[in-house]
Amino acid sequence: MNTLWTFGDSFTFGHACRADCNSGLYKKYVKYKKSTDDIWPKQLAVLLGMSLQNFGVNGYCNNSIIDSIIDNYDMIKKDDVVVIGKSFHGRTMVPY
């Protein structure tokens, strides 16, 4: 089975729509979530009949997104599909 690879920021991650989101907003969302609701990478993977590798991360800037693509480049196969979601142009990575 081919794979859909998604890279991006919180929109790709599924901010507040996933139980593993650290914002705590999922508890509010799950109250009205329908069984057919899901984040866009999962919906697209189902439509394309592909497995999913989602590398969206909350707060990622464009440089971090590119780094993530580079880190995973060797695992992407010939007939896989890659979708890259850009972050806001002013978002920057600040080390702790």
Side-chain angles (χ1 to χ4, degrees):
M1 177 182 275
N2 293 341
T3 302
L4 170 66
W5 298 78
T6 56
F7 299 90
D9 60 8
S10 56
F11 293 106
T12 303
F13 170 78
H15 180 74
C17 298
R18 293 175 40 170
D20 61 342
C21 180
N22 60 6
S23 71
L25 295 173
Y26 181 77
K27 292 175 186 175
K28 293 179 182 179
Y29 168 68
V30 76
K31 292 177 185 176
Y32 63 87
K33 179 183 178 192
K34 299 178 196 141
S35 62
T36 56
D37 290 346
D38 216 331
I39 61 175
W40 72 261
K42 285 188 180 179
Q43 290 181 353
L44 183 58
V46 169
L47 284 171
L48 296 174
M50 298 179 147
S51 63
L52 175 64
Q53 289 291 323
N54 183 4
F55 289 94
V57 177
N58 287 336
Y60 257 18
C61 65
N62 289 321
N63 288 340
S64 297
I65 295 167
I66 291 169
D67 288 343
S68 180
I69 296 165
I70 292 168
D71 291 343
N72 293 283
Y73 181 81
D74 290 336
M75 294 187 292
I76 300 170
K77 306 275 189 284
K78 179 181 177 234
D79 292 324
D80 289 350
V81 174
V82 176
V83 178
I84 303 166
K86 296 187 313 179
S87 186
F88 299 102
H89 71 277
R91 184 178 274 176
T92 57
M93 179 174 37
V94 179
Y96 293 117

